[in-house]
Amino acid sequence: MVDVSTSPTALAILAPLTRAVTYTRWLHLLMGAVVAAVCGLVYPGLFDLRPADMLWLPVLPVLPLVAVAMVPATRLAEGLQARLLLTPGEHARHQQGHLAPRIAAAPSASWGDRGRTALWLVLRLEAGCLTALLSLQLPGLTAALFDAASQGTPAPVMGVRIGGHHWWYALLAPLPLAALMAVVVAAGTLMTAVATRLLGPSAAERLAALEERTERLLEHNRLARELHDSIGHALTVAVVQAGAARAAGSAEFTDRALAAIEETGRHALEDLERVLRLLREDTARGPADRPGLADAERLLESARAAGSTLDAKVSGPLEELPGPVSREGYRILQEALTNVLRHAGPVPVAVRVDVAADTGSLRLDVRNPLPGPGQGRTSETSVGTGLGSGLRGIRERAALLGGAAEVGPYEGEWRLSVTLPADRGRARTTAMA
């Protein structure tokens, strides 16, 4: 004997009845009949309806609904309602960022959107009227069957009166309710599929969402590069300073080293706080709050405090540089000095920063002696291999701004040479691209 209560087929049939989405979709279907009910109050009236009068209920509201669909905000309202009632679980996951929405929640942006919204409203009206009719009449049919089985006088249902009194009417009584639930489940599933087609994101909306997601990923990658550069520089300076202070054995030198570590750490914490604020989508601070080449002296002092003998020369109007060039130039210089300290130690470093108005370019040149055998590693693979770090990160920053970076041994030294466009038009175009 098969236990129906635990058979897979019975469980599959009854499973929709245990899901909340079945009943939210039922509510959504019934709400579609509200407009018909309001119009029915005007004509032909909702009391003592004849079958012919009932045919007017799903017809009269069609033209008003088409007119309402021409209002752009109608699509936004319908999309939000469909998300909440037709796909409540997916809506919650979408709000948490784990799922792309199948139903858009945006005003109509084209006549195509308005046309699809009008078709959706008409279909929702007809499905709502049919569901409302069955939701009222089928339970009434069940009650009528029970009355007929118990020798009562059943009221007519949909104009049909059940004749006779038979005990087996009680066996048929659950069938109308089962049919109603089957209709509700099927209609809810069908309307959800229709909503994804008629209220789903248009091609333009999908493209805009893809562009927004791409921009967000690029912004996160940029923030990761900045965090690497800032924290990596601070840690490198701290390690070099601590090692030098321990080797020097001088209280005065140790005080200077601790002061340099404190200052570098403070700036790193400021950068960390700014990046975390941006990751939390706090827009109170913008790109202008990021350091630029006008703050390059902070980097030079940090390198000097780490023990490097710095020969720095800065020429040209740094304050006139475009914002993206100034900010990326600062990070490139920071990464270059960090690499020197990390891989060559506190060696003499020559830094040249030149803004050439005649050529419309910014030149950054950083040179240091090649370390002897066993003193450090200067190969490109050892300086940085991660995304946004080391020499590859420098090349990426330069390429994004339409510039170029050259690195390698040059005349017995290790040289990093970067050229960036300094004219505002070209820098703005490459930064936006």
Side-chain angles (χ1 to χ4, degrees), residues 244-263:
R246 184 175 60 179
S250 168
E252 182 180 355
F253 185 87
T254 300
D255 289 340
R256 291 200 305 271
L258 291 175
I261 292 173
E262 179 185 5
E263 182 69 15

Side-chain angles (χ1 to χ4, degrees), residues 132-343:
L133 175 64
L134 295 178
S135 298
L136 291 173
Q137 298 297 325
L138 290 180
L141 180 57
T142 294
L145 287 171
F146 275 121
D147 284 343
S150 62
Q151 306 298 318
T153 304
V157 179
M158 291 184 287
V160 178
R161 183 180 297 275
I162 299 176
H165 299 282
H166 306 284
W167 65 268
W168 48 266
Y169 281 167
L171 301 179
L172 300 178
L175 295 182
L177 294 181
L180 174 60
M181 296 312 300
V183 169
V184 167
V185 171
T189 303
L190 180 61
M191 288 301 291
T192 302
V194 172
T196 59
R197 295 295 301 271
L198 298 180
L199 298 179
S202 63
E205 289 172 333
R206 287 194 295 268
L207 180 60
L210 179 61
E211 290 178 349
E212 180 182 356
R213 183 171 182 270
T214 301
E215 290 179 0
R216 188 163 56 249
L217 289 175
L218 290 174
E219 178 68 9
H220 286 178
N221 288 337
R222 182 187 64 77
L223 292 175
R225 284 199 303 266
E226 286 201 10
L227 197 57
H228 162 270
D229 294 345
S230 178
I231 302 302
H233 177 76
L235 291 177
T236 299
V237 170
V239 169
V240 173
Q241 287 278 34
R246 184 175 60 179
S250 168
E252 182 180 355
F253 185 87
T254 300
D255 289 340
R256 291 200 305 271
L258 291 175
I261 292 173
E262 179 185 5
E263 182 69 15
T264 305
R266 184 181 297 110
H267 291 309
L269 286 175
E270 292 175 358
D271 286 342
L272 178 61
E273 181 183 359
R274 178 180 54 80
V275 170
L276 293 178
R277 185 181 295 110
L278 289 175
L279 289 175
R280 289 193 298 266
E281 299 182 350
D282 183 354
T283 58
R285 296 166 63 101
D289 300 300
R290 295 164 52 196
L293 277 178
D295 306 306
E297 187 61 30
R298 189 171 77 182
L299 297 176
L300 302 179
E301 286 299 326
S302 176
R304 292 190 183 99
S308 294
T309 303
L310 212 62
D311 176 17
K313 182 178 179 182
V314 180
S315 60
L318 295 179
E319 66 280 355
E320 296 181 6
L321 285 173
V325 175
S326 180
R327 292 188 291 269
E328 296 303 317
Y330 177 91
R331 293 303 181 188
I332 290 173
L333 179 59
Q334 183 181 54
E335 180 64 21
L337 294 175
T338 301
N339 285 337
V340 171
L341 293 172
R342 182 182 300 155
H343 302 289

Side-chain angles (χ1 to χ4, degrees), residues 326-407:
S326 180
R327 292 188 291 269
E328 296 303 317
Y330 177 91
R331 293 303 181 188
I332 290 173
L333 179 59
Q334 183 181 54
E335 180 64 21
L337 294 175
T338 301
N339 285 337
V340 171
L341 293 172
R342 182 182 300 155
H343 302 289
V347 297
V349 184
V351 177
R352 298 291 182 269
V353 180
D354 178 41
V355 180
D358 53 345
T359 60
S361 63
L362 166 68
R363 293 290 303 274
L364 295 173
D365 192 272
V366 180
R367 305 188 189 194
N368 62 277
L370 290 171
Q375 294 181 349
R377 297 174 296 174
T378 59
S379 67
E380 186 168 335
T381 56
S382 67
V383 175
T385 57
L387 178 62
S389 62
L391 299 180
R392 191 164 81 176
I394 291 176
R395 287 197 177 101
E396 287 177 355
R397 291 180 185 275
L400 285 173
L401 289 171
E406 298 179 1
V407 62

